[in-house]
Amino acid sequence: KPTLLPLCGIDDVLEGCALKVEEGDHAYAVYNVAGAYFVTDDMCTHGPGSLGEGELYGDIIECNFHGGQFNIRTGEVAGPPCMEPVKTYTVRVEDGGIFIEV
Ligand code: FES
């Protein structure tokens, strides 16, 4: 059975926005797409960009460093210069909180 790691409350992530959340020594990016929540690693696979501090366009996150893009549902690259997909997590929403399975 997977462990649930709490990241933030559902009210912490505005609709259409991303949020960077640090837990221990790892950073995650939490996204709200019309009330559905998704989580990826925060660090861009291309360099030092923070996806949680990027711009969300629908289900595409644009990195704040070189403008590379990922699909937040699948982690697949959606725009250059990124080459490697970003890790995604299974999200659970319980009691007003956002959790990931780890
Ligand atoms: Fe994200 Fe380069 S660091 S696109």
Side-chain angles (χ1 to χ4, degrees), residues 2-78:
T3 303
L4 291 186
L5 178 69
L7 292 184
C8 60
I10 55 172
D11 294 339
D12 295 330
V13 197
L14 299 180
E15 199 165 315
C17 292
L19 178 72
K20 179 179 180 179
V21 176
E22 288 175 315
E23 272 299 330
D25 57 3
H26 200 84
Y28 302 90
V30 185
Y31 312 95
N32 178 344
V33 181
Y37 298 93
F38 301 89
V39 176
T40 69
D41 278 338
D42 178 69
M43 185 184 276
C44 182
T45 59
H46 176 256
S50 163
L51 300 181
E53 293 171 354
E55 284 290 328
L56 188 61
Y57 300 99
D59 53 13
I60 302 294
I61 186 67
E62 184 173 277
C63 177
N64 67 350
F65 210 77
H66 304 112
Q69 296 181 330
F70 301 91
N71 183 307
I72 61 168
R73 297 171 187 266
T74 63
E76 290 300 318
V77 172

